[in-house]
Amino acid sequence: MPTSTAIVTTAIGQVEALQNPIPEPADDQVLVKVEYATLSVFDVYVVDQGFHAQYPHVVGENSGGTVVKVGANVKDLQVGDQVVSFPFPTKGCQQYALHPRSVLAKVPPNVPLIEATTVPDNFVTAVYALFSRLGLPLPSSFPATSAPEKANTPILVYGAGATSGQYTVEFLRLAGYKNVIAVASSKHEAYLKELGATTVVDYKSSTFVEDVKSASGSGASGIELVVDCVSLTESFTNISKVISPTGTLAWLAAFKRGLDGGAGLNGEGVKLFTELPEDARAIFPGSVKLEAVYAFFYQKGDERLANTLMPVTLPKLLEANLIKPNKYKLLDHGDLLTRTKDALDLYRQNKISGEKLIVKISD
C-alpha cells in the first residue's frame, strides 16, 4: 500500500517522520498532494508542552498543494486543481492530506501557490474575530458596497504586526472602516498603513495611552471595539487603559503567560490557557465584554461562514487581488524532518516576526 510521510510529535519534545497509508476520500472529502505547509508558534507549544496534542500529532498549519482525488459529492474541484487548506481538522506537514471540501480554497492562476499557502488561518481568524466575535456586521461582499453604520468609529487592533493582525487591519479596510488604530512595533508602520491602518501606535511608547487617545479622538470615554492578536498580560494591561468601560474586546485564544517583554518561545515558563484565567479577566471592569476567538472552530461557531468562507469568499478575494498574502520565509533545504525541526527552532529563537514560515513538503 502506498504511504505518505508525515512529521509528527510523539511525546513532549519529540519530533519524527512517520509513514502513513495514503487515505481514500469519503464522499465530501478531497485528497491533496501537499507541496507547502506553514508552521506557527503554536507548533512550538504543541511540541514542547504537548498543548492539545493527541499523539502521534501531525504538526504544521496551512497547506497548499494539488488535488489528486475527490469524493463523490465534490463537484466544484477536480484532479489537478491547486488548493490551499485551513488547518483544521487536518494539519499541514504531511505529503498527502485528506480534507473536508469546506476547508479548501481553489487557488486562481494569478496567485502563486506558495503565496496563497500563507493565507487561510489568518484570513479565517480575522473574518471570524471581526464579524462574529467582535460583532461587526458581515458585508454581503468584499469590498463592502456601502459604508457600515460605524464606519468612523475607532477600532483598535493590538498586535497588528503579527500576521493575524495584518489581516485584521486589511479586512477592516475592506469592510469600510475608516478609523483603524494599529498597535505594533514601529518597524511595521509603513506596511500596516498600506494595508489600511489610519494610525500606527508603537506598543513600547512611553506615551502609549495618550497616543491612542489622540488617534481615536475618544478622550476619557475610551475605545469601544478592540481586537487583541497576541493575548498576553502585557497586551491586556495596555488595552485596559484605553478601552471603554462598556467596550468589547475580542482576544485570540490561547491566552499566554511568560512571553511578556519579548521572552523566548522555548516553552520554559510559558503557559497557555484556552479559558481566560480569573486574574486576567480582572484586569478589566466587569462591564467590558471579553470575547474569545477560537478560530479552529469557526465552522461550528458561525453557520454564515462555515461553508462559504474558504470555498467561495477566499478564491474571489485572491482572484481580484483584494488581499495581500503574508510575506514569508521558505525553508527548502535538507529533508522534510530537518526543515520542520529548523522551522520550530526559528520560532523558539524569536527570529520570525511579521511573516509566515513555510516548509517545502514535496522534494
Side-chain angles (χ1 to χ4, degrees):
M1 178 178 291
T3 61
S4 166
T5 301
I7 304 302
V8 303
T9 175
T10 54
I12 290 179
Q14 300 297 312
V15 179
E16 59 186 78
L18 184 68
Q19 296 298 312
N20 292 318
I22 297 177
E24 290 290 327
D27 287 350
D28 296 308
Q29 293 180 321
V30 178
L31 181 65
V32 177
K33 182 179 181 182
V34 180
E35 297 180 41
Y36 302 104
T38 66
L39 279 89
S40 80
V41 63
F42 281 99
D43 289 300
V44 175
Y45 305 142
V46 171
V47 171
D48 291 357
Q49 297 189 18
F51 183 70
H52 282 217
Q54 295 181 347
Y55 301 117
H57 186 101
V58 179
V59 300
E61 301 295 336
N62 305 337
S63 63
T66 303
V67 173
V68 292
K69 287 186 181 180
V70 298
N73 294 338
V74 178
K75 306 300 184 184
D76 57 343
L77 290 176
Q78 58 186 0
V79 173
D81 285 343
Q82 289 193 322
V83 293
V84 291
S85 72
F86 181 74
F88 189 84
T90 305
K91 298 298 183 179
C93 286
Q94 49 190 320
Q95 291 176 324
Y96 287 85
L98 200 58
H99 297 280
R101 170 63 187 97
S102 61
V103 302
L104 293 174
K106 184 177 178 180
V107 179
N110 59 304
V111 180
L113 179 63
I114 190 171
E115 293 184 9
T117 303
T118 69
V119 176
D121 56 350
N122 290 322
F123 157 70
V124 168
T125 298
V127 173
Y128 184 51
L130 292 171
F131 306 111
S132 184
R133 309 308 294 159
L134 195 64
L136 298 177
L138 179 67
S140 58
S141 63
F142 294 104
T145 55
S146 59
E149 180 182 351
K150 297 182 177 182
N152 295 310
T153 298
I155 301 175
L156 187 142
V157 181
Y158 199 103
T163 52
S164 56
Q166 293 170 16
Y167 275 93
T168 303
V169 169
E170 195 163 20
F171 273 94
L172 285 168
R173 172 180 59 81
L174 287 170
Y177 293 93
K178 306 295 185 183
N179 192 356
V180 179
I181 302 163
V183 176
S185 168
S186 57
K187 68 182 180 182
H188 297 302
E189 180 172 2
Y191 186 59
L192 288 169
K193 286 188 173 179
E194 183 181 336
L195 293 177
T198 312
T199 307
V200 178
V201 175
D202 193 326
Y203 72 99
K204 294 181 179 178
S205 171
S206 60
T207 55
F208 172 80
V209 174
E210 292 80 4
D211 295 344
V212 171
K213 288 183 176 180
S214 174
S216 67
S218 60
S221 62
I223 295 177
E224 289 287 341
L225 299 169
V226 181
V227 179
D228 186 355
C229 296
V230 290
S231 302
L232 307 169
T233 302
E234 181 180 56
S235 63
F236 270 36
T237 301
N238 284 342
I239 290 168
S240 71
K241 298 173 184 177
V242 296
I243 195 171
S244 165
T246 58
T248 300
L249 166 62
W251 59 278
L252 272 55
F255 182 79
K256 298 167 281 292
R257 282 207 174 111
L259 292 176
D260 298 282
L265 304 175
N266 61 3
E268 296 178 10
V270 178
K271 293 184 179 181
L272 281 76
F273 302 84
T274 50
E275 299 292 335
L276 201 59
E278 284 303 317
D279 58 343
R281 186 179 298 276
I283 292 173
F284 298 94
S287 54
V288 172
K289 190 176 182 181
L290 303 178
E291 294 284 353
V293 180
Y294 302 105
F296 282 169
F297 303 113
Y298 81 96
Q299 291 192 307
K300 295 181 179 179
D302 196 324
E303 292 183 359
R304 300 171 305 163
L305 307 177
N307 295 309
T308 60
L309 204 51
M310 286 295 292
V312 179
T313 305
L314 181 53
K316 289 180 179 179
L317 291 169
L318 290 172
E319 186 173 21
N321 292 313
L322 287 172
I323 58 174
K324 290 189 174 184
N326 288 132
K327 299 174 183 177
Y328 65 87
K329 180 181 181 67
L330 173 65
L331 299 187
D332 58 359
H333 63 280
D335 59 24
L336 179 54
L337 181 59
T338 298
R339 295 193 287 269
T340 304
K341 287 183 174 181
D342 288 351
L344 293 167
D345 281 340
L346 287 173
Y347 277 115
R348 293 184 183 109
Q349 297 160 13
N350 281 352
K351 291 185 177 180
I352 301 299
S353 175
E355 62 183 355
K356 278 288 194 182
L357 191 52
I358 296 181
V359 169
K360 191 175 188 300
I361 300 297
S362 301
D363 292 320

